[in-house]
Amino acid sequence: RKEIFADDYAALKAKLGLALHNLAQATGEPIHLKEAAEAFSAATGIWTITEAPERWADIQNSLGSLLITMGRLTEQPGLFDKAVEVFLKIAQSRGRTTAPLVWATAFANIGSALKEKGVVARNAECLRQAAQAFEQAAQVFTELNLESNMKVVEGQRDHVLLMLAAQDAR
């Protein structure tokens, strides 16, 4: 029961949300994403930003990723904007100096959302913003000596820059 086993309830809802998200990605069917979003929402009803900020941030991160998947599957650019809002809220609540890894991860995810929006909407400005977000994340990953994370976001940034160069060449 939710009232007695609140942490277990929230953990199960988070796992359910992740499983439904994975199912939607595997099948390419967005139908499971609404139910996944509801599961994440139920988890954040227990793990709030004030009561459990780390867990809250994890769930918000999963929700943002879900919105990116939903945007990719439905080709609705507005969903990427919602994902960016979610990731910005994480970055603002945790802060670069307070939780640099969380902050950098949020900015890497902002880059991913903007990249996807740029592709779907054929919007070069979104791609430029994505490259900037990836660069900001890479700086922090470098400061934290997280070379593998840094290489991933630099690879994403470089891919975005190549897309921009290809657009400019046309």
Side-chain angles (χ1 to χ4, degrees):
R1 289 186 0 211
K2 177 176 150 180
E3 303 79 30
I4 296 173
F5 302 104
D7 275 346
D8 291 336
Y9 173 84
L12 287 171
K13 288 295 185 176
K15 288 177 184 177
L16 175 62
L18 291 171
L20 290 166
H21 183 189
N22 289 338
L23 180 61
Q25 285 181 306
T27 63
E29 293 291 328
I31 192 165
H32 304 291
L33 295 173
K34 183 177 184 229
E35 192 176 347
E38 291 168 359
F40 290 140
S41 179
T44 58
I46 304 293
W47 292 337
T48 65
I49 191 170
T50 54
E51 298 288 320
E54 291 82 15
R55 288 180 170 172
W56 172 87
D58 286 343
I59 300 301
Q60 292 301 307
N61 189 53
S62 296
L63 178 60
S65 295
L66 179 137
L67 288 165
I68 290 172
T69 299
M70 190 179 294
R72 192 180 304 129
L73 292 176
T74 64
E75 296 188 355
Q76 294 179 25
L79 292 169
F80 301 114
D81 294 331
K82 288 181 182 182
V84 169
E85 289 173 21
V86 168
F87 296 131
L88 277 174
K89 190 172 181 182
I90 294 168
Q92 291 166 349
S93 71
R94 302 303 294 144
R96 182 177 176 168
T97 55
T98 309
L101 179 58
V102 173
W103 188 91
T105 301
F107 266 78
N109 289 332
I110 288 168
S112 294
L114 289 168
K115 175 185 171 191
E116 293 294 334
K117 180 181 179 184
V119 169
V120 167
R122 293 178 179 80
N123 184 319
E125 181 55 30
C126 285
L127 293 175
R128 280 189 275 284
Q129 291 174 3
Q132 291 171 350
F134 287 133
E135 182 60 35
Q136 289 178 289
Q139 288 173 2
V140 175
F141 289 141
T142 299
E143 292 167 11
L144 296 172
N145 295 315
L146 296 171
E147 189 173 327
S148 62
N149 295 53
M150 187 247 337
K151 285 182 178 181
V152 168
V153 293
E154 284 183 341
Q156 289 293 317
R157 181 204 59 209
D158 293 348
H159 184 248
V160 168
L161 293 174
L162 285 173
M163 288 191 290
L164 284 166
Q167 282 185 355
D168 290 342
R170 288 184 212 159

PDB file of all heavy atoms in Angstrom, residues 12 17 19 27 29 35-36 42 45 63 65 74 76 80-81 87 89 96 101 103 123 130 140 161:
ATOM      1  N   LEU A  12       8.633   1.157  -7.437  1.00  0.00           N
ATOM      2  CA  LEU A  12       7.922   0.322  -8.414  1.00  0.00           C
ATOM      3  C   LEU A  12       7.346   1.153  -9.547  1.00  0.00           C
ATOM      4  O   LEU A  12       7.405   0.745 -10.712  1.00  0.00           O
ATOM      5  CB  LEU A  12       6.818  -0.484  -7.726  1.00  0.00           C
ATOM      6  CG  LEU A  12       7.306  -1.645  -6.866  1.00  0.00           C
ATOM      7  CD1 LEU A  12       6.145  -2.248  -6.062  1.00  0.00           C
ATOM      8  CD2 LEU A  12       7.947  -2.716  -7.734  1.00  0.00           C
ATOM      9  N   GLY A  17       7.572   2.856 -15.123  1.00  0.00           N
ATOM     10  CA  GLY A  17       7.739   3.905 -16.124  1.00  0.00           C
ATOM     11  C   GLY A  17       8.899   3.606 -17.060  1.00  0.00           C
ATOM     12  O   GLY A  17       8.782   3.755 -18.278  1.00  0.00           O
ATOM     13  N   ALA A  19      10.217   0.643 -17.723  1.00  0.00           N
ATOM     14  CA  ALA A  19       9.893  -0.535 -18.537  1.00  0.00           C
ATOM     15  C   ALA A  19       8.965  -0.163 -19.692  1.00  0.00           C
ATOM     16  O   ALA A  19       9.172  -0.600 -20.834  1.00  0.00           O
ATOM     17  CB  ALA A  19       9.254  -1.619 -17.665  1.00  0.00           C
ATOM     18  N   THR A  27       9.380  -1.043 -29.666  1.00  0.00           N
ATOM     19  CA  THR A  27       8.321  -1.298 -30.640  1.00  0.00           C
ATOM     20  C   THR A  27       8.079  -0.129 -31.593  1.00  0.00           C
ATOM     21  O   THR A  27       7.446  -0.303 -32.628  1.00  0.00           O
ATOM     22  CB  THR A  27       6.987  -1.625 -29.925  1.00  0.00           C
ATOM     23  OG1 THR A  27       6.584  -0.477 -29.165  1.00  0.00           O
ATOM     24  CG2 THR A  27       7.119  -2.842 -29.035  1.00  0.00           C
ATOM     25  N   GLU A  29       6.163   2.214 -30.858  1.00  0.00           N
ATOM     26  CA  GLU A  29       4.767   2.568 -30.612  1.00  0.00           C
ATOM     27  C   GLU A  29       4.670   3.510 -29.413  1.00  0.00           C
ATOM     28  O   GLU A  29       5.004   3.129 -28.291  1.00  0.00           O
ATOM     29  CB  GLU A  29       3.937   1.310 -30.321  1.00  0.00           C
ATOM     30  CG  GLU A  29       3.800   0.372 -31.489  1.00  0.00           C
ATOM     31  CD  GLU A  29       2.933   0.955 -32.588  1.00  0.00           C
ATOM     32  OE1 GLU A  29       2.002   1.713 -32.293  1.00  0.00           O
ATOM     33  OE2 GLU A  29       3.208   0.648 -33.763  1.00  0.00           O
ATOM     34  N   GLU A  35       1.212   6.055 -20.301  1.00  0.00           N
ATOM     35  CA  GLU A  35       1.177   5.276 -19.062  1.00  0.00           C
ATOM     36  C   GLU A  35       2.509   5.387 -18.314  1.00  0.00           C
ATOM     37  O   GLU A  35       2.542   5.468 -17.092  1.00  0.00           O
ATOM     38  CB  GLU A  35       0.853   3.815 -19.370  1.00  0.00           C
ATOM     39  CG  GLU A  35       0.512   2.995 -18.141  1.00  0.00           C
ATOM     40  CD  GLU A  35       0.104   1.575 -18.486  1.00  0.00           C
ATOM     41  OE1 GLU A  35      -0.165   1.271 -19.664  1.00  0.00           O
ATOM     42  OE2 GLU A  35       0.064   0.759 -17.554  1.00  0.00           O
ATOM     43  N   ALA A  36       3.618   5.433 -19.052  1.00  0.00           N
ATOM     44  CA  ALA A  36       4.932   5.612 -18.426  1.00  0.00           C
ATOM     45  C   ALA A  36       5.000   6.966 -17.732  1.00  0.00           C
ATOM     46  O   ALA A  36       5.495   7.074 -16.601  1.00  0.00           O
ATOM     47  CB  ALA A  36       6.039   5.480 -19.461  1.00  0.00           C
ATOM     48  N   ALA A  42       3.434   9.506 -10.567  1.00  0.00           N
ATOM     49  CA  ALA A  42       3.101   8.883  -9.279  1.00  0.00           C
ATOM     50  C   ALA A  42       4.339   8.778  -8.392  1.00  0.00           C
ATOM     51  O   ALA A  42       4.277   9.005  -7.176  1.00  0.00           O
ATOM     52  CB  ALA A  42       2.483   7.503  -9.500  1.00  0.00           C
ATOM     53  N   GLY A  45       5.205  12.001  -6.851  1.00  0.00           N
ATOM     54  CA  GLY A  45       4.261  12.341  -5.772  1.00  0.00           C
ATOM     55  C   GLY A  45       4.803  11.914  -4.419  1.00  0.00           C
ATOM     56  O   GLY A  45       4.462  12.494  -3.383  1.00  0.00           O
ATOM     57  N   LEU A  63      11.584  11.289 -17.094  1.00  0.00           N
ATOM     58  CA  LEU A  63      10.450  11.933 -17.761  1.00  0.00           C
ATOM     59  C   LEU A  63      10.923  12.739 -18.968  1.00  0.00           C
ATOM     60  O   LEU A  63      10.314  12.681 -20.042  1.00  0.00           O
ATOM     61  CB  LEU A  63       9.696  12.831 -16.781  1.00  0.00           C
ATOM     62  CG  LEU A  63       8.511  13.598 -17.356  1.00  0.00           C
ATOM     63  CD1 LEU A  63       7.456  12.648 -17.907  1.00  0.00           C
ATOM     64  CD2 LEU A  63       7.905  14.501 -16.286  1.00  0.00           C
ATOM     65  N   SER A  65      13.584  12.204 -20.772  1.00  0.00           N
ATOM     66  CA  SER A  65      13.963  11.229 -21.804  1.00  0.00           C
ATOM     67  C   SER A  65      12.734  10.659 -22.495  1.00  0.00           C
ATOM     68  O   SER A  65      12.730  10.444 -23.714  1.00  0.00           O
ATOM     69  CB  SER A  65      14.793  10.101 -21.184  1.00  0.00           C
ATOM     70  OG  SER A  65      16.001  10.606 -20.698  1.00  0.00           O
ATOM     71  N   THR A  74       6.542  10.777 -32.557  1.00  0.00           N
ATOM     72  CA  THR A  74       5.378  11.498 -33.087  1.00  0.00           C
ATOM     73  C   THR A  74       5.763  12.691 -33.960  1.00  0.00           C
ATOM     74  O   THR A  74       4.891  13.291 -34.584  1.00  0.00           O
ATOM     75  CB  THR A  74       4.479  11.998 -31.940  1.00  0.00           C
ATOM     76  OG1 THR A  74       5.218  12.948 -31.152  1.00  0.00           O
ATOM     77  CG2 THR A  74       3.997  10.853 -31.071  1.00  0.00           C
ATOM     78  N   GLN A  76       6.619  15.660 -33.029  1.00  0.00           N
ATOM     79  CA  GLN A  76       6.003  16.875 -32.507  1.00  0.00           C
ATOM     80  C   GLN A  76       7.081  17.701 -31.802  1.00  0.00           C
ATOM     81  O   GLN A  76       7.487  17.365 -30.691  1.00  0.00           O
ATOM     82  CB  GLN A  76       4.878  16.542 -31.531  1.00  0.00           C
ATOM     83  CG  GLN A  76       3.696  15.850 -32.155  1.00  0.00           C
ATOM     84  CD  GLN A  76       2.624  15.539 -31.120  1.00  0.00           C
ATOM     85  OE1 GLN A  76       2.518  16.194 -30.098  1.00  0.00           O
ATOM     86  NE2 GLN A  76       1.832  14.524 -31.402  1.00  0.00           N
ATOM     87  N   PHE A  80       9.824  18.255 -27.487  1.00  0.00           N
ATOM     88  CA  PHE A  80      11.230  18.498 -27.179  1.00  0.00           C
ATOM     89  C   PHE A  80      11.373  19.730 -26.291  1.00  0.00           C
ATOM     90  O   PHE A  80      12.220  19.771 -25.413  1.00  0.00           O
ATOM     91  CB  PHE A  80      12.056  18.641 -28.461  1.00  0.00           C
ATOM     92  CG  PHE A  80      11.982  17.425 -29.348  1.00  0.00           C
ATOM     93  CD1 PHE A  80      11.388  17.497 -30.596  1.00  0.00           C
ATOM     94  CD2 PHE A  80      12.508  16.208 -28.936  1.00  0.00           C
ATOM     95  CE1 PHE A  80      11.312  16.375 -31.413  1.00  0.00           C
ATOM     96  CE2 PHE A  80      12.442  15.080 -29.744  1.00  0.00           C
ATOM     97  CZ  PHE A  80      11.843  15.166 -30.987  1.00  0.00           C
ATOM     98  N   ASP A  81      10.513  20.732 -26.527  1.00  0.00           N
ATOM     99  CA  ASP A  81      10.526  21.919 -25.674  1.00  0.00           C
ATOM    100  C   ASP A  81      10.166  21.553 -24.236  1.00  0.00           C
ATOM    101  O   ASP A  81      10.775  22.052 -23.289  1.00  0.00           O
ATOM    102  CB  ASP A  81       9.540  22.970 -26.196  1.00  0.00           C
ATOM    103  CG  ASP A  81       9.938  23.530 -27.553  1.00  0.00           C
ATOM    104  OD1 ASP A  81      11.143  23.569 -27.862  1.00  0.00           O
ATOM    105  OD2 ASP A  81       9.034  23.933 -28.309  1.00  0.00           O
ATOM    106  N   PHE A  87      14.544  19.281 -18.072  1.00  0.00           N
ATOM    107  CA  PHE A  87      15.988  19.219 -17.791  1.00  0.00           C
ATOM    108  C   PHE A  87      16.500  20.534 -17.188  1.00  0.00           C
ATOM    109  O   PHE A  87      17.357  20.522 -16.311  1.00  0.00           O
ATOM    110  CB  PHE A  87      16.771  18.854 -19.058  1.00  0.00           C
ATOM    111  CG  PHE A  87      16.452  17.480 -19.587  1.00  0.00           C
ATOM    112  CD1 PHE A  87      16.151  17.294 -20.923  1.00  0.00           C
ATOM    113  CD2 PHE A  87      16.452  16.359 -18.760  1.00  0.00           C
ATOM    114  CE1 PHE A  87      15.865  16.032 -21.427  1.00  0.00           C
ATOM    115  CE2 PHE A  87      16.168  15.095 -19.244  1.00  0.00           C
ATOM    116  CZ  PHE A  87      15.878  14.932 -20.583  1.00  0.00           C
ATOM    117  N   LYS A  89      14.786  22.510 -15.272  1.00  0.00           N
ATOM    118  CA  LYS A  89      14.330  22.512 -13.876  1.00  0.00           C
ATOM    119  C   LYS A  89      15.285  21.688 -13.000  1.00  0.00           C
ATOM    120  O   LYS A  89      15.602  22.074 -11.879  1.00  0.00           O
ATOM    121  CB  LYS A  89      12.901  21.976 -13.789  1.00  0.00           C
ATOM    122  CG  LYS A  89      12.266  22.160 -12.440  1.00  0.00           C
ATOM    123  CD  LYS A  89      10.792  21.790 -12.469  1.00  0.00           C
ATOM    124  CE  LYS A  89      10.169  22.007 -11.110  1.00  0.00           C
ATOM    125  NZ  LYS A  89       8.767  21.626 -11.079  1.00  0.00           N
ATOM    126  N   ARG A  96      25.117  23.871 -10.640  1.00  0.00           N
ATOM    127  CA  ARG A  96      26.424  23.418 -11.116  1.00  0.00           C
ATOM    128  C   ARG A  96      27.412  23.220  -9.970  1.00  0.00           C
ATOM    129  O   ARG A  96      28.186  22.269  -9.971  1.00  0.00           O
ATOM    130  CB  ARG A  96      26.979  24.404 -12.139  1.00  0.00           C
ATOM    131  CG  ARG A  96      28.309  23.966 -12.699  1.00  0.00           C
ATOM    132  CD  ARG A  96      28.829  24.887 -13.760  1.00  0.00           C
ATOM    133  NE  ARG A  96      30.158  24.433 -14.165  1.00  0.00           N
ATOM    134  CZ  ARG A  96      30.795  24.861 -15.215  1.00  0.00           C
ATOM    135  NH1 ARG A  96      30.250  25.770 -15.983  1.00  0.00           N
ATOM    136  NH2 ARG A  96      31.994  24.407 -15.509  1.00  0.00           N
ATOM    137  N   LEU A 101      27.674  16.863 -11.369  1.00  0.00           N
ATOM    138  CA  LEU A 101      27.376  15.733 -12.254  1.00  0.00           C
ATOM    139  C   LEU A 101      25.919  15.776 -12.710  1.00  0.00           C
ATOM    140  O   LEU A 101      25.618  15.566 -13.890  1.00  0.00           O
ATOM    141  CB  LEU A 101      27.688  14.405 -11.566  1.00  0.00           C
ATOM    142  CG  LEU A 101      27.405  13.146 -12.382  1.00  0.00           C
ATOM    143  CD1 LEU A 101      28.185  13.147 -13.692  1.00  0.00           C
ATOM    144  CD2 LEU A 101      27.731  11.901 -11.569  1.00  0.00           C
ATOM    145  N   TRP A 103      24.041  18.434 -12.855  1.00  0.00           N
ATOM    146  CA  TRP A 103      23.922  19.613 -13.713  1.00  0.00           C
ATOM    147  C   TRP A 103      24.426  19.300 -15.125  1.00  0.00           C
ATOM    148  O   TRP A 103      23.759  19.601 -16.119  1.00  0.00           O
ATOM    149  CB  TRP A 103      24.708  20.774 -13.096  1.00  0.00           C
ATOM    150  CG  TRP A 103      24.515  22.075 -13.786  1.00  0.00           C
ATOM    151  CD1 TRP A 103      23.585  23.031 -13.502  1.00  0.00           C
ATOM    152  CD2 TRP A 103      25.277  22.578 -14.900  1.00  0.00           C
ATOM    153  NE1 TRP A 103      23.732  24.095 -14.367  1.00  0.00           N
ATOM    154  CE2 TRP A 103      24.756  23.843 -15.229  1.00  0.00           C
ATOM    155  CE3 TRP A 103      26.347  22.079 -15.640  1.00  0.00           C
ATOM    156  CZ2 TRP A 103      25.264  24.615 -16.267  1.00  0.00           C
ATOM    157  CZ3 TRP A 103      26.859  22.839 -16.683  1.00  0.00           C
ATOM    158  CH2 TRP A 103      26.321  24.099 -16.986  1.00  0.00           C
ATOM    159  N   ASN A 123      15.583  22.929 -37.891  1.00  0.00           N
ATOM    160  CA  ASN A 123      15.831  24.236 -37.291  1.00  0.00           C
ATOM    161  C   ASN A 123      17.299  24.345 -36.898  1.00  0.00           C
ATOM    162  O   ASN A 123      17.740  23.719 -35.930  1.00  0.00           O
ATOM    163  CB  ASN A 123      14.912  24.399 -36.074  1.00  0.00           C
ATOM    164  CG  ASN A 123      15.014  25.749 -35.430  1.00  0.00           C
ATOM    165  OD1 ASN A 123      16.091  26.307 -35.281  1.00  0.00           O
ATOM    166  ND2 ASN A 123      13.867  26.269 -35.019  1.00  0.00           N
ATOM    167  N   ALA A 130      21.911  23.222 -29.221  1.00  0.00           N
ATOM    168  CA  ALA A 130      22.287  21.868 -28.787  1.00  0.00           C
ATOM    169  C   ALA A 130      23.792  21.762 -28.651  1.00  0.00           C
ATOM    170  O   ALA A 130      24.303  21.236 -27.650  1.00  0.00           O
ATOM    171  CB  ALA A 130      21.764  20.826 -29.784  1.00  0.00           C
ATOM    172  N   VAL A 140      32.089  20.542 -17.745  1.00  0.00           N
ATOM    173  CA  VAL A 140      31.942  20.032 -16.378  1.00  0.00           C
ATOM    174  C   VAL A 140      32.446  18.600 -16.282  1.00  0.00           C
ATOM    175  O   VAL A 140      33.131  18.242 -15.319  1.00  0.00           O
ATOM    176  CB  VAL A 140      30.482  20.157 -15.884  1.00  0.00           C
ATOM    177  CG1 VAL A 140      30.305  19.516 -14.522  1.00  0.00           C
ATOM    178  CG2 VAL A 140      30.067  21.630 -15.840  1.00  0.00           C
ATOM    179  N   LEU A 161      27.563  19.741 -35.062  1.00  0.00           N
ATOM    180  CA  LEU A 161      28.329  20.699 -35.861  1.00  0.00           C
ATOM    181  C   LEU A 161      28.447  20.240 -37.317  1.00  0.00           C
ATOM    182  O   LEU A 161      28.396  21.064 -38.238  1.00  0.00           O
ATOM    183  CB  LEU A 161      29.704  20.931 -35.236  1.00  0.00           C
ATOM    184  CG  LEU A 161      29.687  21.652 -33.879  1.00  0.00           C
ATOM    185  CD1 LEU A 161      31.090  21.706 -33.281  1.00  0.00           C
ATOM    186  CD2 LEU A 161      29.066  23.030 -33.979  1.00  0.00           C
TER     187      LEU A 161
END
